[in-house]
Amino acid sequence: MRTERTQVAIVGAGPAGLLLSHLLHRRGIASVVLESRSREYVEQRVRAGVLEQGTVDTLVEAGVGERLRREGLPHHGIELRYGGRGRRIAFEKLVPGRRITVYGQQEVVKDLIAARLADGGPIRFEVSGVAVHDLDSAAPSVTYTGPDGEPVRLECDVIAGCDGFHGVTRPSIPDGVLTVYEREYPFAWLGVLARVRPSAEELIYAQTERGFALHSMRSPEVSRFYLQVAPDENLADWPDERIWEELRARLETVPGFTLATGPVIEKGVTPMRSFVVEPMQYGRLYLAGDAAHIVPPTGAKGLNLAVADVRLLTEALVSWFSTGSAALLEGYSAACLKRVWRAQHFSWWMTTLLHTFDSDDAYGRRLQLAHLDYVTTSEAAATTLAENYVGLPYESDPHD
């Protein structure tokens, strides 16, 4: 078995792992990123597309925001559509100077991969058999098999688990260490990517008796749509014609709005889940992003939480490697979870506000409509939605 050595072994080449590697490199700390998929797969998989203000600022400050600034679509509000009318939540009025930017997660990944490879950063794609060892020791390691079939032991000081909900790092923590908080929802999202110009300039969140729908976009020529469906929905039962028919039924509910249609590029069904593990660390293993927490996509927080985790982990590792102080590393989980639980609540709130839980529950339906009326007519309530949606500012010293 060949032996390699680095300071930080990063499992997973999603946004969390790649950004962590890039930020550490800029601070003089070496890392190796391990990824089971190919570069082509990682760069093409469609995921989130709404970036908080703080996420955009982080990418720009890290020197990987040039294309984001050029091609990203800044948005200063969203529309809540229900009861035959649409009400706009105006970010520019409610949270001046803060906004969201629509820019696909796969584009963030492409930018980060290009930056790491340009810097000579080692990203090992198409590895298999990844396993982590000796997490509670001062000399952890990761073993894997390269695409050429050669077994490798990667010795390191720290392991970062950035390998998502189904990754290998979190299950490697001994039983009884983690507390799991979880909630599954009685519906899923049918996501559709279509080559058609967006029918609106901003995102539309539609609440109807037929179920929830979301009109979003990825570029001036590509639109993204979501439909609330059953959790066990069979994708084969949703030909393109049925998708467009249902989107029209849920979105064409206000006078003058016509949904533009076009070729469907991709579609898939995503279950809705809330999930958090505490703590987000064990020994020399530190979890970040989806490896530690999942939120329903309604609040657009998944990618943004991963960036917030990585910011904190970077500062903690820089402090430890430069001064020997483990104070920030020891407080990493608690610092992350403050933001994670705020985002969990916001995502749960948006989900319960906009989705149909029981079509026969007339009382629940009336409660939703009353709450939507309050959110769209009360400046205080609208401000709460706006400031959480664009992302709360990072704390100046979040480890306190």
Side-chain angles (χ1 to χ4, degrees), residues 186-259:
F187 41 74
W189 272 14
L190 169 59
V192 178
L193 196 68
R195 194 169 303 284
V196 58
R197 292 184 64 83
S199 301
E201 294 182 356
E202 296 178 336
L203 278 71
I204 301 172
Y205 286 77
Q207 197 259 25
T208 78
E209 292 184 357
R210 301 177 68 95
F212 168 80
L214 173 61
H215 173 288
S216 183
M217 60 284 295
R218 286 296 177 268
S219 75
E221 294 80 31
V222 176
S223 297
R224 183 74 163 158
F225 304 96
Y226 296 97
L227 286 167
Q228 175 185 348
V229 296
D232 58 350
E233 200 72 47
N234 185 352
L235 196 58
D237 294 335
W238 286 89
D240 296 357
E241 295 78 10
R242 184 187 177 191
I243 289 173
W244 290 121
E245 179 182 358
E246 192 62 29
L247 283 169
R248 282 192 292 266
R250 300 188 194 186
L251 290 169
E252 291 183 347
T253 56
V254 299
F257 179 84
T258 301
L259 181 69

Side-chain angles (χ1 to χ4, degrees), residues 121 133 145 260 264 275 298 328 348:
H133 309 277
T145 300
V264 172
F275 176 87
T298 324
L328 295 186
W348 165 85

Side-chain angles (χ1 to χ4, degrees), residues 379-400:
E379 184 170 327
T383 300
T384 296
L385 190 159
E387 68 178 2
N388 280 274
Y389 197 91
V390 303
L392 298 173
Y394 297 125
E395 298 180 32
S396 57
D397 192 355
H399 295 87
D400 286 345

Side-chain angles (χ1 to χ4, degrees), residues 32 34 62 75 79 109 117 132 141 147 165 183 236 253 257 263 280 301 336 346 351 394 397:
V32 173
L34 303 175
H75 285 202
E79 179 186 328
V109 166
L117 295 180
V132 295
S141 63
F165 182 78
R183 173 167 295 178
T253 56
F257 179 84
M280 291 170 53
K301 292 287 165 254
C336 287
F346 177 68
T351 301
Y394 297 125
D397 192 355

Side-chain angles (χ1 to χ4, degrees), residues 3 6 29 33 47 49 98 134 156 193 198 200 225 238 287 298 302 330 333 379:
T3 299
T6 192
I29 297 172
V33 180
R47 292 291 187 271
R98 300 184 69 77
D134 303 317
C156 56
L193 196 68
F225 304 96
W238 286 89
L287 304 176
T298 324
E330 292 170 355
S333 178
E379 184 170 327

